[in-house]
Short mmCIF file of all heavy atoms in Angstrom, two decimals:
data_model
loop_
_atom_site.label_atom_id
_atom_site.label_comp_id
_atom_site.label_asym_id
_atom_site.label_seq_id
_atom_site.Cartn_x
_atom_site.Cartn_y
_atom_site.Cartn_z
N LEU N 245 -9.17 5.72 -12.63
CA LEU N 245 -8.74 4.41 -13.13
C LEU N 245 -8.73 4.34 -14.65
O LEU N 245 -8.01 3.54 -15.23
CB LEU N 245 -9.62 3.30 -12.55
CG LEU N 245 -9.48 3.09 -11.03
CD1 LEU N 245 -10.46 2.02 -10.55
CD2 LEU N 245 -8.06 2.71 -10.67
N ASP N 246 -9.53 5.19 -15.29
CA ASP N 246 -9.60 5.15 -16.76
C ASP N 246 -8.22 5.35 -17.40
O ASP N 246 -7.95 4.81 -18.47
CB ASP N 246 -10.56 6.23 -17.28
CG ASP N 246 -12.01 5.83 -17.06
OD1 ASP N 246 -12.27 4.63 -16.84
OD2 ASP N 246 -12.89 6.72 -17.09
N ASN N 247 -7.37 6.13 -16.75
CA ASN N 247 -6.06 6.42 -17.35
C ASN N 247 -4.89 5.89 -16.53
O ASN N 247 -3.78 6.39 -16.64
CB ASN N 247 -5.88 7.94 -17.51
CG ASN N 247 -6.83 8.46 -18.55
OD1 ASN N 247 -6.95 7.88 -19.63
ND2 ASN N 247 -7.55 9.53 -18.21
N TYR N 248 -5.14 4.90 -15.71
CA TYR N 248 -4.10 4.44 -14.79
C TYR N 248 -3.32 3.25 -15.37
O TYR N 248 -3.93 2.26 -15.80
CB TYR N 248 -4.75 4.05 -13.46
CG TYR N 248 -3.83 3.38 -12.47
CD1 TYR N 248 -2.53 3.83 -12.26
CD2 TYR N 248 -4.26 2.29 -11.72
CE1 TYR N 248 -1.69 3.22 -11.35
CE2 TYR N 248 -3.43 1.67 -10.80
CZ TYR N 248 -2.15 2.14 -10.63
OH TYR N 248 -1.32 1.52 -9.73
N GLY N 249 -2.00 3.39 -15.39
CA GLY N 249 -1.13 2.26 -15.70
C GLY N 249 -1.33 1.68 -17.09
O GLY N 249 -1.28 0.46 -17.27
N LEU N 250 -1.51 2.55 -18.08
CA LEU N 250 -1.81 2.05 -19.42
C LEU N 250 -0.64 1.24 -19.98
O LEU N 250 -0.82 0.22 -20.64
CB LEU N 250 -2.16 3.21 -20.36
CG LEU N 250 -3.43 4.00 -19.95
CD1 LEU N 250 -3.64 5.21 -20.84
CD2 LEU N 250 -4.66 3.10 -19.96
N ARG N 251 0.59 1.70 -19.67
CA ARG N 251 1.76 0.98 -20.19
C ARG N 251 1.88 -0.40 -19.54
O ARG N 251 2.14 -1.40 -20.20
CB ARG N 251 3.03 1.79 -19.95
CG ARG N 251 4.18 1.31 -20.81
CD ARG N 251 5.35 2.23 -20.74
NE ARG N 251 6.20 1.87 -19.62
CZ ARG N 251 7.27 2.54 -19.24
NH1 ARG N 251 7.60 3.66 -19.85
NH2 ARG N 251 8.00 2.13 -18.23
N GLU N 252 1.63 -0.45 -18.22
CA GLU N 252 1.69 -1.74 -17.51
C GLU N 252 0.62 -2.68 -18.06
O GLU N 252 0.86 -3.88 -18.24
CB GLU N 252 1.49 -1.51 -16.01
CG GLU N 252 1.73 -2.74 -15.15
CD GLU N 252 1.75 -2.44 -13.65
OE1 GLU N 252 1.57 -1.27 -13.26
OE2 GLU N 252 1.93 -3.38 -12.87
N GLN N 253 -0.55 -2.12 -18.37
CA GLN N 253 -1.62 -2.97 -18.93
C GLN N 253 -1.17 -3.57 -20.26
O GLN N 253 -1.37 -4.75 -20.52
CB GLN N 253 -2.87 -2.12 -19.17
CG GLN N 253 -3.57 -1.67 -17.90
CD GLN N 253 -4.78 -0.81 -18.22
OE1 GLN N 253 -5.58 -1.14 -19.07
NE2 GLN N 253 -4.90 0.31 -17.53
N ARG N 254 -0.54 -2.69 -21.08
CA ARG N 254 -0.10 -3.17 -22.39
C ARG N 254 1.02 -4.20 -22.24
O ARG N 254 0.95 -5.30 -22.79
CB ARG N 254 0.38 -1.97 -23.22
CG ARG N 254 0.62 -2.28 -24.69
CD ARG N 254 1.44 -1.17 -25.33
NE ARG N 254 2.72 -1.02 -24.66
CZ ARG N 254 3.36 0.14 -24.47
NH1 ARG N 254 2.85 1.27 -24.88
NH2 ARG N 254 4.54 0.17 -23.87
N ASP N 255 2.04 -3.86 -21.42
CA ASP N 255 3.20 -4.75 -21.28
C ASP N 255 2.82 -6.09 -20.69
O ASP N 255 3.39 -7.13 -21.01
CB ASP N 255 4.26 -4.11 -20.38
CG ASP N 255 4.91 -2.90 -21.05
OD1 ASP N 255 4.64 -2.68 -22.26
OD2 ASP N 255 5.66 -2.18 -20.36
N MET N 256 1.87 -6.08 -19.76
CA MET N 256 1.53 -7.31 -19.04
C MET N 256 0.28 -7.98 -19.60
O MET N 256 -0.21 -8.95 -19.03
CB MET N 256 1.31 -6.99 -17.55
CG MET N 256 2.50 -6.31 -16.89
SD MET N 256 3.54 -7.55 -16.11
CE MET N 256 4.80 -6.58 -15.34
N GLY N 257 -0.30 -7.39 -20.65
CA GLY N 257 -1.49 -7.98 -21.26
C GLY N 257 -2.69 -7.99 -20.32
O GLY N 257 -3.42 -8.98 -20.24
N LEU N 258 -2.89 -6.89 -19.57
CA LEU N 258 -3.99 -6.83 -18.61
C LEU N 258 -5.22 -6.18 -19.25
O LEU N 258 -5.08 -5.33 -20.12
CB LEU N 258 -3.56 -6.02 -17.37
CG LEU N 258 -2.26 -6.46 -16.69
CD1 LEU N 258 -1.88 -5.48 -15.57
CD2 LEU N 258 -2.40 -7.88 -16.14
N SER N 259 -6.40 -6.56 -18.76
CA SER N 259 -7.63 -6.02 -19.36
C SER N 259 -8.15 -4.79 -18.62
O SER N 259 -9.33 -4.46 -18.71
CB SER N 259 -8.70 -7.11 -19.39
OG SER N 259 -8.84 -7.66 -18.11
N GLY N 260 -7.28 -4.13 -17.89
CA GLY N 260 -7.64 -2.91 -17.16
C GLY N 260 -6.55 -2.64 -16.14
O GLY N 260 -5.59 -3.41 -16.05
#
Side-chain angles (χ1 to χ4, degrees):
L245 293 177
D246 284 343
N247 292 314
Y248 172 43
L250 297 175
R251 197 171 87 184
E252 188 171 0
Q253 290 178 47
R254 190 196 60 215
D255 291 352
M256 304 266 183
L258 307 174
S259 52

